[in-house]
Amino acid sequence: MEKSKVLFVDDDRNLLHALQRKMRRKFDFEIAVGGEEALRILMEDGPFAVCIADMRMPGMDGVKLLTEIGRVSPDTVRMMLTGNADQHTAVEAINRGQIFRFFSKPCDDEVLEQGINDAIRQHHLITAERDLLEQTLAGSVKVLTDVLAQLNPLIFGRSMRVKSWCDMIARDIGYPQPWELGLAALLAPIGMVSLPPDTLARLAMGKVLQPLERDLLKRTPEVGKQLIANIPRLHHIGEIVYLQFKNFDGSGFPVGDSPKGKDIPLGARVLRILNDLAELSTSDMPLAQNFDELQEHPHRYDPELLGQISDLLAIVDDSYDIEAHPKGREQDVFLKSLRVHDFLMTDIETVEGHILLTHGNHVSEVQLQRLRVFQQIHKFREPIRIRRGGSALRPITE
């Protein structure tokens, strides 16, 4: 069985090397002299299951270090070891650094070893829960949204594209749980199931809504939050969905006493940008001019975040390496040749004008199966234009 990785941080080299000799037979035990070196090792050799840090170190103290580790590696279980055992230090360490356990120097080797083993078990619980949420729950939600996308391809199909953008940017913007952002994107339009079918149809066709319909539409994030509240452990995602139309200056839904600026959850600020990008863009990646259009409404978006996302996603012809990031091949195909993951450049519609799948989305397995059923009873306009192969374009960062 592979040993769990443990990082021990102190400014006393002799203590570090002595502990390493004792512990390396039982753990994958690495040491760091000071906070700066610890962060470097964490980024280069991580992830670590456990990090133990001395409280009193020159430069970056233990509380600051463990707080930063909690930001960049939230699954790492943090513990504090210090010779300063006063109550204030312990409380500060626990509250600011979310410390799992607090030891006083000198600490008996057996006590420290037991503490590390307890922390490893805690790490296993954390990662097991995360994997359950990320894989099982996210997969279930994907099936749900695939089905909804069949009922209204334009509205619910767009969430698939927003989810793909979230997956591309989550780590680069420092989102602590990337799976959570993608799940929020998939669930963002779920409140629209409360809209009457006629309203959904007019919305999909871009027709003007009546005042009552507009009011119902504004309240769909609240309905979404209520629906998500029935799913265990997704309270934070419910808040993101609830605040997805909240403007950075505090205007927008919900009105009244609600957060503004940086107090709006990061996920909601991301969706505020990406949802509008999906409205403007008809391709698999947003164009630079789409971001220019967003800049015309500065009160809506977090300006720093908008700049970050633009740098990560915006396509500018002279800024992309086509050989390194091939676009894939555009071609006209008949429906019988359509494959999962093909990117639709045109709508798939019947000869009567009923749209089954809209352009600007990748074909999912559920959508393809539904299309095969429809082909038995309907005739479609063929061929259709698709993009096949290659990977999503990413900007050159060097």
Side-chain angles (χ1 to χ4, degrees):
M1 183 176 177
E2 185 178 351
K3 295 179 181 178
S4 296
K5 297 184 72 171
V6 177
L7 179 62
F8 197 101
V9 190
D10 203 300
D11 59 334
D12 186 337
R13 292 179 182 273
N14 293 331
L15 172 65
L16 289 173
H17 290 296
L19 277 173
Q20 190 175 43
R21 286 193 297 270
K22 295 175 183 176
M23 299 291 182
R24 63 187 174 189
R25 289 190 297 271
K26 299 174 182 178
F27 311 105
D28 184 352
F29 198 88
E30 295 193 34
I31 57 175
V33 182
E36 288 78 8
E37 182 175 321
L39 290 176
R40 179 184 60 77
I41 292 174
L42 184 78
M43 300 305 294
E44 293 177 358
D45 300 332
F48 285 84
V50 181
C51 180
I52 310 106
D54 185 23
M55 172 64 193
R56 302 296 179 186
M57 296 184 294
M60 181 183 294
D61 66 25
V63 173
K64 291 180 181 178
L65 170 63
L66 294 179
T67 301
E68 180 63 14
I69 289 176
R71 187 185 70 82
V72 300
S73 181
D75 291 345
T76 299
V77 178
R78 283 92 68 193
M79 300 198 293
M80 179 70 70
L81 182 69
T82 181
N84 183 358
D86 64 275
Q87 184 178 9
H88 173 74
T89 299
V91 170
E92 181 186 24
I94 292 170
N95 289 341
R96 289 183 55 196
Q98 295 182 324
I99 308 303
F100 173 70
R101 193 155 295 178
F102 188 88
F103 300 103
S104 297
K105 283 184 177 180
C107 181
D108 184 80
D109 291 345
E110 292 184 1
V111 173
L112 181 59
E113 181 182 336
Q114 182 60 49
I116 293 174
N117 282 320
D118 291 343
I120 290 172
R121 282 192 288 272
Q122 177 69 9
H123 178 261
H124 289 163
L125 289 174
I126 292 171
T127 52
E129 180 181 53
R130 183 205 60 206
D131 290 344
L132 175 65
L133 286 169
E134 183 174 356
Q135 297 173 18
T136 307
L137 184 56
S140 301
V141 170
K142 178 64 164 56
V143 171
L144 170 64
T145 52
D146 271 348
V147 172
L148 292 173
Q150 310 316 307
L151 300 177
N152 197 303
L154 182 62
I155 294 173
F156 291 98
R158 187 180 294 138
S159 67
M160 308 294 183
R161 190 154 41 118
V162 174
K163 194 260 184 193
S164 71
W165 294 344
C166 287
D167 291 343
M168 291 178 189
I169 68 171
R171 294 193 184 278
D172 290 322
I173 66 173
Y175 204 89
Q177 298 287 359
W179 67 268
E180 180 185 271
L181 185 59
L183 199 56
L186 286 176
L187 289 171
I190 197 72
M192 290 191 180
V193 298
S194 65
L195 296 177
D198 290 347
T199 302
L200 277 173
R202 280 195 289 276
L203 186 64
M205 291 185 288
K207 293 185 177 181
V208 177
L209 301 181
Q210 299 298 319
L212 178 59
E213 292 176 316
R214 289 198 298 270
D215 185 60
L216 290 173
L217 180 62
K218 288 179 182 178
R219 303 195 70 84
T220 54
E222 184 175 13
V223 176
K225 177 183 178 181
Q226 292 168 353
L227 291 172
I228 295 170
N230 295 309
I231 307 175
R233 308 296 181 92
L234 293 193
H235 170 75
H236 186 55
I237 290 178
E239 282 298 311
I240 292 173
V241 170
Y242 180 55
L243 294 168
Q244 63 180 300
F245 297 131
K246 190 67 178 175
N247 293 326
F248 193 66
D249 69 351
S251 62
F253 184 87
V255 297
D257 186 19
S258 57
K260 65 179 181 179
K262 298 288 187 182
D263 291 333
I264 301 172
L266 176 58
R269 283 180 275 142
V270 170
L271 290 187
R272 188 69 185 94
I273 295 169
L274 296 186
N275 283 337
D276 285 0
L277 278 176
E279 290 277 355
L280 296 171
S281 173
T282 58
S283 61
D284 54 346
M285 295 290 286
L287 304 176
Q289 52 262 43
N290 298 144
F291 284 93
D292 292 340
E293 292 181 65
L294 297 190
Q295 294 283 3
E296 296 176 6
H297 307 280
H299 70 286
R300 295 180 182 174
Y301 316 110
D302 178 341
E304 181 182 348
L305 186 62
L306 181 61
Q308 285 181 289
I309 294 176
S310 178
D311 290 342
L312 292 166
L313 296 182
I315 294 178
V316 182
D317 290 345
D318 295 336
S319 302
Y320 284 78
D321 185 340
I322 300 299
E323 293 183 0
H325 304 283
K327 290 177 62 176
R329 196 159 46 88
E330 290 187 13
Q331 54 188 293
D332 293 324
V333 300
F334 287 90
L335 292 181
K336 65 180 181 180
S337 301
L338 196 65
R339 303 176 188 170
V340 175
H341 304 310
D342 283 345
F343 182 79
L344 298 178
M345 309 294 291
T346 56
D347 295 337
I348 298 179
E349 61 178 327
T350 66
V351 293
E352 294 85 10
H354 173 70
I355 297 177
L356 189 68
L357 295 175
T358 58
H359 67 281
N361 289 289
H362 292 275
V363 177
S364 71
E365 185 173 353
V366 172
Q367 291 169 335
L368 189 60
Q369 290 174 355
R370 182 171 183 257
L371 180 61
R372 298 294 182 236
V373 173
F374 267 68
Q375 281 183 278
Q376 299 176 26
I377 54 178
H378 292 284
K379 290 185 177 181
F380 287 84
R381 300 185 190 276
E382 300 182 82
I384 56 171
R385 177 152 286 259
I386 64 165
R387 180 184 298 151
R388 176 175 293 168
S391 56
L393 292 174
R394 295 300 303 273
I396 296 174
T397 55
E398 43 284 19

